[in-house]
Amino acid sequence: MPASQPRSRARDRNNVLNRAEFLSLNQPLKGNQESRSSSRKQSSQAGAAGAQNTNPKERRQSQQLPEEDCMQLNPSFKGIAFNSLLAIDICMSKRLGVCANRASSWGGARSMINLLGITGHGIPWIAGTLICLVKSSTLAGQEVLMNLLLALLLDIMIVAGLQKLAKRKGPYDVNPGLLDYLTMDTYAFPAGHASRVAMLSKFFLNHLVLAIPLRILLVLWALCVGFSRVMIGRHHITDVLSGFVFGYLQFRLVELIWMSSNTCQMLISIW
């Protein structure tokens, strides 16, 4: 034992790590340990005080954040179905936009398709109704024409309001024409031409005596005008279909507020 002690002391003296400059690497100072422990305690106390000072609403929001993240990462079935249908609508509308510009597959027929769309525009129909109203001499004809004028004005106001609310753009970057700006038909949803031709066709079928071939041609005209708006790239398919639905609802609204012959005569006399 006495011989082993001098040997161990000699080893300690020869060990480089036992020198003064390396003591901090082997054995940290007590002051550092105490400062670190005190800083940890202070941070823990500050965190506890901050947790106590926070409002219950903030605690609830912090607890709800992981759930909201999970909802964003895992959307519902309705959200997936809606986004899928929207993607299909955009894809099909772009494929059917064969006259969207001159470089399209049917670009040469663009002027003819635009001419077909003008037949369903509101300005020519309002002008034609006013001319017929001035030249009409029968009470029944004036009654029908006054209610038709009311239906056209309601169609322009309702479609313009819905388009301002939705603010949906078409599948292609196509600038609206001058007549579109006059009727405030600058957005895609719902299609103003589609709602107008649906309302007009239903109005004529109910209030005019037409032969069966003319009734079929009237329905085909409404369908062609509606889907011509998809071909020139101004509307999606769902915009046109929703326009047909809104046009029918507008017809039902006009039937509910139908003006009688006496009311029409009073309005004509004022005008």
Side-chain angles (χ1 to χ4, degrees):
M1 291 294 292
S4 63
Q5 289 180 357
R7 291 177 183 176
S8 62
R9 290 175 183 174
R11 289 175 182 174
D12 293 337
R13 284 195 298 269
N14 294 328
N15 192 0
V16 179
L17 296 176
N18 289 328
R19 295 180 183 178
E21 59 268 20
F22 295 107
L23 285 176
S24 61
L25 298 175
N26 294 330
Q27 297 176 357
L29 297 177
K30 293 181 179 180
N32 292 334
Q33 292 179 352
E34 292 177 357
S35 62
R36 290 176 183 175
S37 61
S38 62
S39 63
R40 289 176 183 174
K41 289 180 181 179
Q42 290 176 0
S43 62
S44 62
Q45 291 176 359
Q52 291 178 359
N53 293 329
T54 54
N55 296 327
K57 294 182 179 180
E58 295 179 356
R59 293 180 185 174
R60 293 174 184 174
Q61 291 177 357
S62 62
Q63 292 176 358
Q64 292 177 356
L65 284 176
E67 296 179 359
E68 292 176 357
D69 293 339
C70 293
M71 291 298 291
Q72 291 177 0
L73 294 174
N74 299 316
S76 62
F77 175 77
K78 292 181 179 179
I80 294 173
F82 177 76
N83 291 330
S84 300
L85 292 175
L86 188 62
I88 294 172
D89 177 36
I90 295 173
C91 180
M92 294 298 295
S93 300
K94 284 184 175 293
R95 289 190 176 184
L96 291 176
V98 293
C99 301
N101 47 56
R102 294 294 180 183
S104 301
S105 57
W106 289 15
R110 180 176 171 81
S111 58
M112 184 178 65
I113 300 299
N114 281 328
L115 183 62
L116 179 62
I118 291 174
T119 62
H121 206 280
I123 297 299
W125 277 100
I126 291 175
T129 303
L130 290 174
I131 293 172
C132 294
L133 186 61
V134 170
K135 293 185 175 181
S136 179
S137 58
T138 61
L139 296 178
Q142 292 175 356
E143 179 183 353
V144 172
L145 289 171
M146 282 295 297
N147 285 279
L148 177 60
L149 182 62
L150 174 64
L152 291 170
L153 295 176
L154 283 176
D155 174 75
I156 290 175
M157 291 187 292
I158 291 172
V159 171
L162 292 173
Q163 286 186 357
K164 291 294 183 181
L165 289 175
K167 291 185 178 181
R168 187 188 188 188
K169 295 185 178 180
Y172 290 91
D173 190 10
V174 179
N175 295 325
L178 178 61
L179 294 178
D180 295 328
Y181 281 111
L182 291 176
T183 55
M184 295 174 288
D185 187 8
T186 56
Y187 292 99
F189 180 88
H193 288 66
S195 67
R196 194 170 301 111
V197 295
M199 183 270 296
L200 288 172
S201 61
K202 186 64 179 174
F203 188 93
F204 291 149
L205 289 174
N206 275 40
H207 296 286
L208 295 180
V209 179
L210 299 174
I212 293 178
L214 291 178
R215 298 171 76 89
I216 295 174
L217 288 176
L218 188 62
V219 174
L220 291 176
W221 166 76
L223 293 175
C224 291
V225 170
F227 284 101
S228 69
R229 307 299 290 173
V230 180
M231 297 176 66
I232 64 172
R234 281 279 284 117
H235 297 280
H236 299 86
I237 298 175
T238 53
D239 300 334
V240 173
L241 295 178
S242 61
F244 288 151
V245 174
F246 282 116
Y248 176 77
L249 294 177
Q250 289 167 9
F251 165 75
R252 300 300 301 174
L253 177 62
V254 172
E255 290 292 312
L256 289 174
I257 59 174
W258 185 269
M259 294 184 296
S260 62
S261 179
N262 293 331
T263 305
C264 294
Q265 291 300 314
M266 183 183 64
L267 293 175
I268 293 173
S269 63
I270 294 173
W271 180 48

